[in-house]
Amino acid sequence: MEMRQVLNAGLKQLMAENENIVLLEADLGKANGTWDIRESYPSRVFEAGIAEQHMVSMAAGMASYGLIPFCGTFTPFATRRACDQIAVSVCYARMNVKIIGTDEGIAAEVNGATHMSFEDISVVRAIPNLLIFSPADNEELRQALPELAAYDGPVYLRMQRKVIPDIHTENYKFDLFKVDTVKDGSDVSIFCMGGILPTEVMKAVDILAAEGIDAAFINVHTLKPLDEAGVLASLEKTGCAVTCDNHNILGGLGSAIAELTAKKAPVPVEMIGVQDRFGEVGYMPYLKKTLHMTAEDIAAAARRAVARKAKK
């Protein structure tokens, strides 16, 4: 199932349960898989057109009257284009607005560099009062949507649109404010965020295991507020880290983990992500290889982290 289908079903269910929930779109309802919601709730879906700043401002106004607006568009338009409205109208005013950015990072593929938002988390992470969430798979999004709707405050939901492999079993229990230990380990902690790289991390864990390196895989679905206790608990076991996110290494998951370790647990940290450059047109396998986001790249980063730890 595509992740946008999970979003569609989840929003429909939430709107059935709570008449205050509304949906705003910026000409991408079909691309984001939410177009048909307007058939079920024609008076609660609002089309802003290609005017993302206007959409976010509308959402802030609706929230001021007690509605719970979800706003959907692609990540660069949800953040870069509407940054001031998010900062002032939503976060400064503490409006209960849920902003959905889809096609995270290289998921934009052939739409190219203009649609590959490698800085969206950097942009919004610096804005106070905003919760940042990025699901690793469909099950995580399915369980998270009710919690995001119930959370009283601004949210940025960064997600994939299309098919991604599941990493969680049917017994998975989601906690919005706790990191998710997919696999425990004793030699290196691999922290990952979002839906594009978990499968590469799992392959890297197997590569490292064959070499005698026991890697932990920690899924950081909520970047802000960061579960510092959960991150530090893993680092106490392993003593070194690799961060993996489909984003610029500046300002994303890597920066968040490095900031935390610098303050509370200085350990070697290696970062997998976009090395401060723009994207390009291409399909996922090519982009992962070109931007050094493959399982082999992650395993190599883990080896470097372990080697640096040994020299301390």
Side-chain angles (χ1 to χ4, degrees):
M1 178 181 289
E2 294 183 334
M3 188 168 272
R4 59 186 166 185
Q5 293 175 290
V6 176
L7 177 67
N8 178 298
L11 287 176
K12 282 181 179 176
Q13 182 63 34
L14 290 171
M15 293 174 79
E17 296 169 354
N18 187 341
E19 63 181 10
N20 287 325
I21 294 177
V22 296
L23 174 64
L24 291 84
E25 297 178 331
D27 200 44
L28 286 173
K30 291 183 179 178
N32 282 341
T34 55
W35 178 266
D36 71 318
I37 295 178
R38 65 190 66 200
E39 296 176 3
S40 301
Y41 302 101
S43 65
R44 292 163 60 191
V45 177
F46 301 87
E47 177 59 68
I50 306 174
E52 295 82 7
Q53 295 169 331
H54 181 52
M55 177 180 70
V56 173
S57 295
M58 287 171 60
M62 291 177 178
S64 72
Y65 281 89
L67 297 177
I68 305 173
F70 281 75
C71 306
T73 185
F74 290 164
T75 55
F77 311 138
T79 53
R80 291 198 308 243
R81 192 165 293 173
C83 181
D84 187 63
Q85 286 71 26
I86 294 171
V88 179
S89 299
V90 175
C91 293
Y92 179 72
R94 295 178 182 266
M95 291 293 107
N96 193 19
V97 174
K98 320 303 178 182
I99 298 163
I100 304 168
T102 65
D103 262 9
E104 53 180 339
I106 61 172
E109 292 189 294
V110 295
N111 278 332
T114 58
H115 285 54
M116 287 181 187
S117 184
F118 296 154
E119 68 292 303
D120 55 303
I121 292 175
S122 303
V123 169
V124 299
R125 184 170 161 252
I127 301 174
N129 301 329
L130 183 67
L131 184 147
I132 301 173
F133 171 75
S134 187
D137 65 7
N138 287 339
E139 183 58 32
E140 192 165 77
L141 177 61
R142 187 177 292 110
Q143 293 191 34
L145 281 171
E147 292 198 32
L148 297 176
Y151 175 77
D152 186 16
V155 168
Y156 176 47
L157 164 57
R158 184 188 204 245
M159 57 174 275
Q160 164 67 300
R161 278 193 305 145
K162 300 179 182 177
V163 175
I164 54 174
D166 287 327
I167 65 170
H168 294 108
T169 67
E170 59 185 13
N171 297 321
Y172 172 62
K173 299 297 182 184
F174 175 75
D175 187 329
L176 181 60
F177 298 105
K178 299 293 183 183
V179 295
D180 173 23
T181 301
V182 180
K183 177 196 171 295
D184 210 348
S186 58
D187 295 328
V188 58
S189 299
I190 303 179
F191 298 99
C192 185
M193 181 179 67
I196 299 299
L197 297 183
T199 53
E200 299 297 329
V201 173
M202 294 175 80
K203 292 175 187 175
V205 167
D206 290 340
I207 292 171
L208 293 167
E211 301 171 6
I213 298 175
D214 185 20
F217 174 9
I218 311 296
N219 170 39
V220 185
H221 48 68
T222 301
L223 183 62
K224 186 180 181 182
L226 180 64
D227 175 15
E228 295 188 356
V231 171
L232 293 173
S234 180
L235 292 176
E236 286 177 5
K237 297 179 183 178
T238 65
C240 61
V242 175
T243 65
C244 304
D245 60 337
N246 175 22
H247 186 274
N248 196 329
I249 58 169
L250 305 178
L253 174 65
S255 291
I257 297 296
E259 290 162 12
L260 175 61
T261 59
K263 290 188 296 183
K264 297 187 176 181
V267 299
V269 178
E270 296 283 335
M271 299 181 190
I272 294 292
V274 180
Q275 303 295 312
D276 198 24
R277 54 158 288 182
F278 289 105
E280 59 185 274
V281 173
Y283 290 103
M284 197 71 68
Y286 167 80
L287 292 167
K288 284 182 179 180
K289 184 175 181 180
T290 301
L291 297 172
H292 307 292
M293 294 178 172
T294 67
E296 291 75 15
D297 295 316
I298 297 169
R303 295 185 200 104
R304 293 194 299 271
V306 171
R308 287 174 58 194
K309 175 178 67 172
K311 292 180 180 178
K312 289 182 66 177

